[in-house]
Every structure is written in structure tokens, then in C-alpha cells.
Amino acid sequence: MARRVLVPLDNSDHSTNALDHALDVHEGATFVLVNVVDPARWVSAGDEEGIEPMYSRELEEAAKSGSDDLLESAADRVRERGADVEMRRLIGGPAQSILEYLNDDETDIDVVVMGSHGRSGLSRMLMGSVAEKVVRRSPVPVTVVR
């Protein structure tokens, strides 16, 4: 039985379903809830035409506040089930940030349970799949819930 279960959350029904599945399957575990905030939401790179990069403190604060609200709401759901919970807000690209967290020796995660948006075809090729990248590179087992 898993002792520590990582559940990435992104404010979608898919991640909520993954959390419910994790709670049902991994009774007695500690749930580590993560949300990744991508700085591309508040920074633009500019371009070669001399346009300067732009930064918005307001957008950064809103993104981080939204992340904290999402994590706290999910943590309340876990606590209602009588389970232990930890919350982590990560900054960066979603797949890379999750994988870096998993590869940190101090996190001690046993399994990942994550949602998938179920994209296919061109949209999957253009946007990539966070779940697919995590499945391919994770050092621990990953359950993907649709």
C-alpha cells in the first residue's frame, strides 16, 4: 500500500476525478497535492523586433492566489475523508515541475495519481500531454484517471 500519494491538480474535472480515485484506492495514505503555476501566465518573452519582455505583478499574484485556493479546497476534501494531506505550489512548466518534485530525494512519493484531459490527434501533438510526459519519465508508478 502506498504511504505517500502525489495528486497533481489543475482545477479541472479530470484532476478532481483523480483525487477521488486516489482517496478511494489509497486509504490511509498521506496525500501530497500539487498545483503547478506556469510563469508564462505573467511574463511575456518579447520578440526580436525590439519589443521588451513584459511582467505583470498583478497576474503573478492572481495566479499564485488561485493556486493556493485550489490546493486548500482540495485539502479540505481530503481532510473530510480523514486522511493526512500536504500541499505544494510549484512554479514552472507542469510536466517538468512534477518530475523534478518526484526526483527530489526528500519528497519520498510512492505513487502518482493524476487526471488526463484525454486529448488526441492534432491537439495532443500541438499541446503535448502532461500525463504522458509524467508516465514516461516518472521514477514511481503513475495511475492516469480520465
Side-chain angles (χ1 to χ4, degrees):
M1 180 158 127
R3 295 177 295 118
R4 291 176 53 82
V5 179
L6 180 77
V7 183
L9 301 169
D10 67 359
N11 209 18
S12 70
D13 289 341
H14 301 284
S15 67
T16 301
N17 293 340
L19 177 58
D20 289 340
H21 178 79
L23 289 166
D24 290 342
V25 172
H26 298 286
E27 196 172 318
T30 296
F31 295 89
V32 181
L33 310 178
V34 300
N35 177 252
V36 181
V37 181
D38 192 340
R41 295 176 61 182
W42 64 79
V43 177
S44 71
D47 64 16
E48 299 94 31
E49 306 265 336
I51 295 177
E52 295 291 319
M54 295 178 61
Y55 163 77
S56 171
R57 181 171 202 76
E58 293 81 20
L59 289 176
E60 178 182 8
E61 290 173 3
K64 289 178 177 179
S65 176
S67 175
D68 293 343
D69 292 346
L70 170 66
L71 289 169
E72 192 57 51
S73 175
D76 288 343
R77 187 182 193 116
V78 174
R79 289 184 198 107
E80 287 173 4
R81 299 279 292 264
D84 292 330
V85 64
E86 298 174 17
M87 298 174 288
R88 300 284 184 267
R89 177 181 4 112
L90 308 176
I91 306 293
Q96 180 179 345
S97 295
I98 293 167
L99 290 165
E100 287 174 1
Y101 186 81
L102 287 171
N103 284 301
D104 183 339
D105 292 335
E106 295 182 21
T107 60
D108 196 27
I109 299 297
D110 297 302
V111 66
V112 177
V113 179
M114 64 188 304
S116 171
H117 290 265
R119 292 186 184 99
S120 61
L122 185 59
S123 68
R124 180 170 165 217
M125 285 177 23
L126 292 174
M127 292 188 280
S129 168
V130 172
E132 181 180 356
K133 290 174 186 170
V134 172
V135 166
R136 288 182 185 269
R137 299 182 184 133
S138 174
V140 299
V142 178
T143 301
V144 179
V145 179
R146 274 196 186 184

